[in-house]
Amino acid sequence: FLFNKPHPELAHYEEVSKLIDSKNVIRTGFVPDDELTAIFSLATLYCQPSFYEGFGFSILEAFACKTPVAAARTQALVEVGGDAILTFEPHSINDIVEKISKLANDKKLQQLLVKKGNERVKDFSWDKTIRGTLQFYEKALNS
């Protein structure tokens, strides 16, 4: 619950769940970090149907594991994923299902997105983040 109302992503998840054949989709729940890489690497695709994200870290994890990504067309996910993700409208169940199906069944698209994701992930690193943060603080303190 969020502000005494059901969380909006919970309702969204319930609607999408009705359309998904549970025999073909494994819902893992919490996954320890040491098992996450194996799961990403074995997945046909990674889907991030969020209405909002502060940053798309999971997209980068999928890229690093050479897993194609379908993600909601939200600012952070599009910014992180660039042209290496297949996007969908997060409020449209039909669009989500269409894009997941397309990616799951199109081997050439999977290969293209894996190739682009492999390049895109190189744009992000902890060192780069730390350097950028330090430069920001230096500039702010010197102003």
Side-chain angles (χ1 to χ4, degrees):
F1 281 87
L2 184 64
F3 304 113
N4 293 324
K5 295 180 183 176
H7 193 284
E9 287 195 19
L10 180 58
H12 179 70
Y13 175 78
E14 289 171 357
E15 287 296 317
V16 171
S17 294
K18 291 176 188 174
L19 298 174
I20 296 174
D21 178 7
S22 62
K23 295 176 203 153
N24 295 322
V25 176
I26 299 169
R27 296 184 194 116
T28 62
F30 174 77
V31 176
D33 287 342
D34 60 337
E35 297 176 21
L36 197 55
T37 300
I39 290 172
F40 269 121
S41 297
L42 292 170
T44 301
L45 64 94
Y46 172 69
C47 180
Q48 178 97 24
S50 302
F51 290 119
Y52 174 82
E53 288 291 329
F55 186 80
F57 191 76
S58 295
I59 289 175
L60 296 178
E61 291 175 313
F63 288 168
C65 294
K66 298 183 177 16
T67 303
V69 175
R73 197 175 301 113
T74 61
Q75 186 171 355
L77 300 180
V78 170
E79 190 174 322
V80 170
D83 69 347
I85 61 174
L86 183 63
T87 61
F88 52 78
E89 170 54 48
H91 296 282
S92 171
I93 293 169
N94 291 335
D95 194 31
I96 295 169
V97 170
E98 177 186 324
K99 297 298 173 41
I100 290 172
S101 295
K102 179 178 180 171
L103 187 52
N105 295 305
D106 188 335
K107 298 296 181 197
K108 286 185 180 182
L109 180 58
Q110 290 173 15
Q111 291 169 349
L112 176 65
L113 294 182
V114 165
K115 181 180 177 184
K116 288 182 175 190
N118 196 41
E119 290 303 312
R120 184 75 179 136
V121 77
K122 294 175 186 176
D123 292 338
F124 299 89
S125 72
W126 286 115
D127 287 340
K128 189 174 181 180
T129 301
I130 291 167
R131 280 194 301 269
T133 303
L134 289 174
Q135 288 173 351
F136 170 80
Y137 284 128
E138 285 177 1
K139 190 173 183 178
L141 291 171
N142 291 329
S143 294

